[in-house]
Amino acid sequence: MYSFEPNEEQQMLIDAMGKYAVNDLRPAAHDAEESRELPKKLIGKGWELGLLQASTPEAYGGFGDRSAVTGALAIEEMAFGDLAGALAVMTPSLFATPILLAGTEAQKQEYLPKIVGGNWSPYTAALIEFNFDFDPNALKTSAKLSDGTYVLNGEKAFVPFAKDAEAIIVYADLDGVTQGFIVPKNSAGLTISAEREKLMGLNALPMYRVKLEDVRLPAENRLGGEAGHDFELILASMRVASASAAVGVAKASFEYAKQYAKERDAFGVKIAQKQAIAFMLAEMITEIESMRLMVWEAAWKLDNGKDDSAIAAYLANTGAADMAMMVTDRGVQILGGHGYIREHPVEMFLRNGRGFAMLVGLAIV
Amino acid sequence: MSIEFENPKPIVQMQTMLQSVAENMMRPASREFDECEHSIPWDYVEFMHTAMKAVGGGGGLAPVDDRTNVSTDVKRPPIGYQKLAAQIEMLAWGDVGFYLITPGGGLGAAAVQAAGSPEQKAKFLARFNEDKPTYAAMCMTEAGAGSDTSAIRTRAVLDESTKEWIINGEKIFVTGGDKSFTEYEKLGKGFIVVWASIDPTAGRSGMRAFVVESGTKGVSIVKLEHKLGIRASDTAVISLVDARVPYDNVLGSPTVETNTKGFKGAMATFDATRPLVAASGIGVARAALEFLKEKLKENGVEIRYGLPRNKLTSVERDVIDMDIQLRSAWLMVLKAVWMADNKKPNALESSMSKVRAGDIVTRITQKAVEIMGPLGYSREFLLEKWFRDAKITDIYEGTGQINRLVVARQILGYTGAELR
Ligand SMILES: Cc1cc2nc3c(=O)[nH]c(=O)nc-3n(C[C@H](O)[C@H](O)[C@H](O)COP(=O)(O)OP(=O)(O)OC[C@H]3O[C@@H](n4cnc5c(N)ncnc54)[C@H](O)[C@@H]3O)c2cc1C
């Protein structure tokens, strides 16, 4: 069957996330971006809504099963409030979800109860590298097996909360395939940059460079243990997350511009009464809606183990990134000169909107 | 409720069957009927009529509820519109011109469905299940009234002495007008639904639709248009001079009230049919995209899905974009028809699906011709035909602009007067 309506449980989560996004994340977004700081309490409140907890089975301290569809719905809601805030709330998932998806029993036992049972705590992951041709499937950071230990070398970029992280999943190239490795804090050879990353957007989210120089890890720190894991599944889950965040940011820009267009006067009418503006808005909502459905379908395919779920996630992510660019650009255009001023959020949405094309790896469903 | 994307089994089965019709009956004849405009592919017409009668579908644009017992079989949600959309998409994948001449009530019957009384439905719709293939058409557009349907000049006046409506006017661009009105030996008796005003001072509330039976005196086919594409489908100009129609053939109330119910009847038709038009365009675009991929593969060009954008070739980027456009447009159609099946108001989703499809089917077919170079431009292949066929998607049943207006009014909460 086809069906396009969240179930009751999902709807409750959406409602709760939506409230948090509108009442907490959005009002804090502007100052957080300017001061480069997210209030701890704000993150804590989002964490308590329990998306990760609800995605973790009871055996590991949670109270539910992971669903990529549910994750996508929740991320869209939160990203509608504020992208940086949403990513901060979900940072521990970057560590926990891959373990849930691909970890050994021992890895699950060791980390999951700790993470989901407590307050928000900085567990994170490092995928992105600082190259124009960065490709998650062809990493420059390498892992080599020598005498039963893995030796990691390379440099990672844009790693959220790396400075305080208890442990980081570092993705590295092992004989031509990407594999995750659990790197605990204070590992010898691990250096976190003193300076935070400075990016076009996402300034409220603390991100760091992470350098690995002959970091030696016991074999059991490889995600999935000796047999390793299927990186495709993790990458697809990251792509779906990124795509749903793109939908949320685009919707934020659309809604703001729509409201503004209904209030702003020009030439004796509201600007929304001009087709040039109204048609832009019609196209924006059409594209948002079409990409939301792409994201939902990709998530559903992941949940149901469909053969083409990786391609579906790739297409959803590619399409949603383009869509977010188009929509957030128009969001600024509809506000005209006022859209260019940082008092209105649309310029920040535009800066955030551009990020989706290159920032896969900052969220996971 | 839930979020699910599993194509229901009955639809998969139907698609498999229709794909073989498309491959064996439509594609081999596509070129011939593109070049001999206005000739009728009788093999296809008769085969489809028999086939659809066998499965109990009247072959119109109205969904068939195929749950064995609608009242007790509540566990299976209705999928009539979803099935119809999938059916149309597959037939259009075969040949959209042929699809448009699939026997059945088409837009004419859809208008009766949307605005007719139960008696009228029984009287006018039964014919589509009889022995001969039968057609109906919808006549709204006039030379001076296209997008602005309220500007129609065709008049209907009640002759109190005979209780007949007398209709005068000229309609253009009537899809299937010839097969619906002209009496062919191989066809059953069809009808056209003519929109006319019963009170020109009343604007939209004075507009009514009238069922005009084939062969009605005073009605004539003036000409058949020569078109860019969809040439297997006839597009007629129909003139009505003192055409007399029985009193009971008016759909909706025969008197003018201060509401716009008559006009809303037409609009209700469009809510239901816009995603179906979108589906037909998507079928054409899928044909073009599949052809393109096949030819690229033959020539050793592989599409490397999964690579970052900046590592892809331009052709790979184009094909991946086309994949995204095609799938997302299809999902919009599915959502709109799923809403129709579940009796959720879907005016917004219907128009969005048409906006999206109108955009992407033209883009995909145009891009595919470009990528194929001389092969794309040559009439040796069907790609250039699909390019011509696809364009109509963005024009009929509300141009891309008109559907943008509908979407914009809905999201902004504006009336037609507030956003023209
Ligand atoms: C092959 C074919 C089959 C058809 N079949 C049928 C049929 O079966 N029955 C039937 O009744 N009609 C049919 N039509 C008619 C079709 O629906 C109309 O052609 C269409 O609605 C546009 O009307 P028009 O051609 O008069 O263009 P116009 O209304 O003159 O439009 C010209 C341009 O102006 C734009 N425009 C118009 N109004 C606005 C506005 N308010 N804001 C912004 N832009 C605007 C349009 O989008 C278009 O780009 C058919 C047409 C074709 C070509």
Side-chain angles (χ1 to χ4, degrees):
Chain A
M1 281 299 141
Y2 286 107
S3 183
F4 299 89
E5 224 168 57
N7 66 31
E8 228 173 283
E9 227 171 286
Q10 288 166 336
Q11 193 56 53
M12 275 165 53
L13 184 73
I14 291 173
D15 292 345
M17 290 286 182
K19 258 196 207 144
Y20 168 68
V22 171
N23 299 336
D24 300 283
L25 284 178
R26 180 68 67 80
H30 175 268
D31 291 355
E33 173 75 9
E34 297 288 324
S35 66
R36 295 168 51 83
E37 185 147 353
L38 280 161
K40 273 235 155 61
K41 261 173 89 176
L42 182 71
I43 300 176
K45 192 166 177 188
W47 172 254
E48 271 154 30
L49 293 174
L51 176 61
L52 181 60
Q53 296 88 321
S55 314
T56 308
E58 268 176 53
Y60 309 114
F63 53 87
D65 286 312
R66 168 199 178 253
S67 149
V69 171
T70 307
L73 293 170
I75 291 175
E76 182 192 325
E77 287 299 326
M78 281 200 285
F80 175 78
D82 175 42
L83 182 62
L87 295 178
V89 168
M90 295 182 304
T91 294
S93 303
L94 287 176
F95 187 91
T97 304
I99 287 188
L100 202 57
L101 288 174
T104 61
E105 188 56 34
Q107 288 166 346
K108 290 179 186 172
Q109 293 291 358
E110 177 171 358
Y111 290 105
L112 295 179
K114 246 194 316 215
I115 296 173
V116 300
N119 294 331
W120 181 94
S121 53
Y123 285 86
T124 187
L127 176 67
I128 299 168
E129 297 176 347
F130 203 65
N131 310 307
F132 94 89
D133 59 350
F134 161 69
D135 177 353
N137 282 308
L139 297 176
K140 302 217 158 79
T141 300
S142 68
K144 299 231 154 54
L145 187 60
S146 115
D147 296 335
T149 61
Y150 288 102
V151 185
L152 271 60
N153 278 290
E155 192 176 13
K156 292 288 175 181
F158 304 175
V159 186
F161 294 99
K163 188 158 158 276
D164 309 312
E166 297 294 325
I168 307 174
I169 291 183
V170 173
Y171 294 94
D173 180 276
L174 178 69
D175 302 327
V177 292
T178 298
Q179 291 287 288
F181 296 87
I182 299 169
V183 181
K185 69 173 171 190
N186 304 328
S187 294
L190 175 73
T191 326
I192 316 287
S193 64
E195 284 278 303
R196 271 170 61 176
E197 298 273 12
K198 289 185 182 140
L199 310 183
M200 179 161 75
L202 290 179
N203 286 302
L205 187 71
M207 292 191 264
Y208 300 84
R209 293 288 161 88
V210 171
K211 211 182 228 165
L212 301 113
E213 288 162 307
D214 286 331
V215 173
R216 292 183 168 272
L217 299 168
E220 66 258 26
N221 279 32
R222 179 176 175 189
L223 186 59
E226 204 180 326
H229 62 95
D230 176 13
F231 177 63
E232 198 175 55
L233 174 64
I234 291 174
L235 181 58
S237 306
M238 288 171 164
R239 282 177 167 153
V240 167
S242 179
S244 46
V247 174
V249 170
K251 192 164 161 251
S253 184
F254 163 76
E255 289 289 348
Y256 195 90
K258 183 183 86 177
Q259 224 37 56
Y260 185 88
K262 286 182 74 170
E263 282 155 25
R264 175 75 176 169
D265 293 292
F267 302 99
V269 293
K270 302 297 175 193
I271 58 169
Q273 291 177 272
K274 299 277 185 193
Q275 284 193 355
I277 300 292
F279 283 15
M280 278 204 273
L281 288 166
E283 286 163 9
M284 287 155 82
I285 189 65
T286 302
E287 294 258 339
I288 291 171
E289 178 70 13
S290 71
M291 285 309 141
R292 174 187 288 126
L293 295 176
M294 287 289 277
V295 175
W296 285 7
E297 183 177 46
W300 177 86
K301 284 186 171 181
L302 273 178
D303 284 343
N304 289 276
K306 298 286 174 189
D307 289 342
D308 59 346
S309 53
I311 288 188
Y314 173 72
L315 294 180
N317 184 223
T318 307
D322 279 355
M323 177 279 290
M325 187 70 259
M326 175 277 226
V327 170
T328 56
D329 174 71
R330 288 176 169 204
V332 171
Q333 191 64 27
I334 288 172
L335 269 75
H338 295 270
Y340 205 74
I341 309 297
R342 297 220 296 276
E343 221 161 281
H344 289 287
V346 285
E347 64 78 30
M348 183 177 77
F349 298 148
L350 174 62
R351 288 183 283 122
N352 288 344
R354 180 67 284 179
F356 293 108
M358 51 287 274
L359 297 186
V360 166
L362 296 183
I364 189 166
V365 287
Chain B
M1 279 300 166
S2 56
I3 291 173
E4 280 174 60
F5 289 85
E6 191 83 60
N7 199 9
K9 265 218 188 80
I11 294 185
V12 176
Q13 283 162 358
M14 178 273 297
Q15 284 170 320
T16 312
M17 191 195 82
L18 287 183
Q19 184 174 340
S20 100
V21 175
E23 282 168 348
N24 299 314
M25 206 158 224
M26 302 169 92
R27 289 285 179 88
S30 257
R31 181 56 72 189
E32 180 190 342
F33 288 91
D34 180 59
E35 305 210 326
C36 310
E37 198 161 8
H38 304 147
S39 54
I40 301 174
W42 288 109
D43 287 354
Y44 170 78
V45 167
E46 283 169 351
F47 172 82
M48 283 306 283
H49 181 62
T50 317
M52 284 186 314
K53 247 180 59 180
V55 297
L61 288 169
V64 178
D65 198 330
D66 66 351
R67 291 175 298 175
T68 41
N69 184 332
V70 177
S71 51
T72 58
D73 207 358
V74 285
K75 281 226 176 90
R76 277 173 60 200
I79 56 167
Y81 268 113
Q82 294 167 62
K83 202 166 169 185
L84 197 54
Q87 178 181 325
I88 290 169
E89 194 269 353
M90 186 59 86
L91 290 174
W93 177 85
D95 185 298
V96 67
F98 279 38
Y99 151 64
L100 286 164
I101 57 160
T102 304
L107 285 176
V112 175
Q113 275 289 350
S117 66
E119 297 75 37
Q120 287 172 323
K121 288 182 199 175
K123 179 170 171 203
F124 296 123
L125 300 179
R127 67 188 75 193
F128 301 108
N129 282 316
E130 282 169 15
D131 283 351
K132 290 182 179 175
T134 304
Y135 294 87
M138 165 119 132
C139 317
M140 174 69 91
T141 307
E142 299 176 6
S147 301
D148 184 4
T149 48
S150 69
I152 58 168
R153 291 278 184 76
T154 300
R155 280 276 288 154
V157 179
L158 185 62
D159 180 343
E160 293 287 355
S161 64
T162 61
K163 283 280 168 198
E164 284 172 322
W165 297 97
I166 303 171
I167 306 181
N168 279 287
E170 187 170 275
K171 295 292 181 180
I172 65 168
F173 297 167
V174 183
T175 297
D178 181 48
K179 290 180 197 65
S180 304
F181 189 79
T182 306
E183 294 177 78
Y184 283 90
E185 212 190 284
K186 291 180 179 175
L187 300 181
K189 191 177 161 67
F191 62 80
I192 56 177
V193 169
V194 177
W195 285 85
S197 175
I198 54 173
D199 180 359
T201 62
R204 285 192 166 150
S205 41
M207 283 171 65
R208 289 294 179 280
F210 297 84
V211 175
V212 178
E213 293 282 357
S214 103
T216 299
K217 263 212 203 111
V219 183
S220 57
I221 306 280
V222 177
K223 74 164 172 177
L224 301 181
E225 303 286 358
H226 298 265
K227 305 189 297 294
L228 174 67
I230 55 167
R231 292 181 184 162
S233 161
D234 65 273
T235 306
V237 175
I238 300 182
S239 112
L240 301 101
V241 180
D242 290 333
R244 289 181 167 265
V245 168
Y247 182 77
D248 291 336
N249 283 25
V250 61
L251 302 175
S253 155
T255 54
V256 176
E257 292 120 18
T258 45
N259 61 34
T260 52
K261 233 178 169 175
F263 185 71
K264 285 199 173 127
M267 291 303 119
T269 316
F270 290 135
D271 286 352
T273 55
R274 275 175 180 156
L276 302 178
V277 174
S280 71
I282 288 171
V284 180
R286 181 164 68 87
L289 181 53
E290 286 176 4
F291 175 83
L292 172 65
K293 285 180 171 176
E294 212 176 280
K295 283 284 161 212
L296 288 173
K297 202 170 170 189
E298 266 174 46
N299 286 278
V301 180
E302 185 204 345
I303 309 299
R304 294 166 297 166
Y305 292 93
L307 274 193
R309 272 287 181 86
N310 55 9
K311 282 189 175 172
L312 296 168
T313 64
S314 148
V315 168
E316 285 174 317
R317 285 184 71 146
D318 284 342
V319 171
I320 285 167
D321 283 344
M322 288 152 98
D323 276 322
I324 294 166
Q325 290 162 13
L326 187 69
R327 187 66 195 168
S328 62
W330 179 239
L331 292 176
M332 301 218 47
V333 168
L334 282 181
K335 183 170 178 192
V337 289
W338 170 83
M339 292 178 82
D341 277 332
N342 289 282
K343 308 265 183 298
K344 295 171 192 286
N346 71 344
L348 174 63
E349 285 74 13
S350 281
S351 280
M352 285 201 300
S353 76
K354 175 78 162 54
V355 168
R356 182 85 179 139
D359 276 354
I360 67 102
V361 304
T362 47
R363 243 187 288 159
I364 288 174
T365 52
Q366 290 167 8
K367 201 70 188 168
V369 168
E370 179 203 297
I371 295 175
M372 279 289 98
L375 280 65
Y377 207 69
S378 166
R379 283 201 267 162
E380 198 173 314
F381 298 108
L382 289 170
L383 188 55
E384 63 80 30
K385 176 181 178 294
W386 293 328
F387 164 105
R388 292 183 284 112
D389 287 347
K391 182 62 197 167
I392 193 62
T393 316
D394 208 19
I395 295 174
Y396 59 12
E397 292 197 44
T399 61
Q401 289 68 40
I402 293 304
N403 277 296
R404 278 168 175 74
L405 270 180
V406 176
V407 171
R409 284 179 193 144
Q410 297 253 349
I411 58 174
L412 291 162
Y414 281 162
T415 61
E418 287 165 319
L419 180 61
R420 291 171 186 279

